[in-house]
């Protein structure tokens, strides 16, 4: 049987989300559903996060809740940076025209659009 010390030693991914409206920060562990904490400073957030993780794991062990181990997420080295994308010819033309107007390659333009959309999508998910 795996112990609290075993789970505490695992490298769980922690996300830190700044609270833009009220200040401070929130930390959450995506592999441990509902495990999160808040603090006014990053320094105290780190300590609070470890306390929250320990409390979450303790309750899960006591209640017989299945605990996911980290590692389900791929690392950056697992990605090549390339993928094939099929699109309508009209969209292809539109992207090429806009890229030319900006004076950049279509690849650069598409990277820009994807990055902007991804940043917007991420902000909507992290800001309530």
């Amino acid at each position: 049987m795996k112990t609290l010390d075993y789970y505490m030693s695992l490298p769980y991914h922690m996300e830190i989300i700044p609270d833009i409206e009220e200040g401070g920060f929130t930390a959450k562990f995506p592999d441990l559903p509902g495990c999160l904490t808040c603090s006014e400073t990053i320094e105290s957030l780190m300590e609070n996060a470890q306390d929250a993780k320990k409390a979450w794991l303790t309750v899960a062990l006591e209640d017989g809740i299945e605990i996911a181990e980290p590692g389900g997420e791929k690392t950056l080295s697992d990605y090549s940076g390339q993928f094939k994308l099929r699109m309508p010819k009209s969209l292809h033309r539109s992207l090429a025209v806009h890229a030319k107007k900006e004076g950049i390659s279509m690849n650069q333009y598409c990277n820009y659009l994807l990055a902007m959309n991804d940043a917007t999508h991420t902000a909507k998910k992290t800001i309530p």
Side-chain angles (χ1 to χ4, degrees), residues 17-18 20 116-128:
I17 304 157
I20 296 169
M116 292 301 293
N117 187 57
D118 187 59
T120 301
H121 177 73
T122 301
K124 287 180 182 177
K125 284 175 53 178
T126 58
I127 300 172

Side-chain angles (χ1 to χ4, degrees), residues 1 11 22 24 36 41-42 47 52 86 110 120:
M1 183 170 177
E22 296 182 22
L36 58 92
T41 66
I42 288 287
E47 186 176 326
R86 302 204 184 279
C110 289
T120 301

Side-chain angles (χ1 to χ4, degrees), residues 20-81:
I20 296 169
E21 291 181 18
E22 296 182 22
F25 304 89
T26 298
K28 69 178 185 175
F29 295 90
D31 290 325
L32 307 174
C35 182
L36 58 92
T37 188
C38 301
S39 184
E40 293 297 317
T41 66
I42 288 287
E43 293 78 18
S44 60
L45 183 69
M46 295 298 118
E47 186 176 326
N48 291 353
Q50 291 307 304
D51 290 344
K53 181 171 71 168
K54 186 174 185 177
W56 191 98
L57 291 167
T58 299
V59 170
L61 286 167
E62 288 172 356
D63 292 351
I65 296 170
E66 185 177 340
I67 301 172
E69 293 190 18
E73 294 183 23
K74 292 185 176 188
T75 64
L76 193 57
S77 63
D78 293 323
Y79 297 92
S80 69

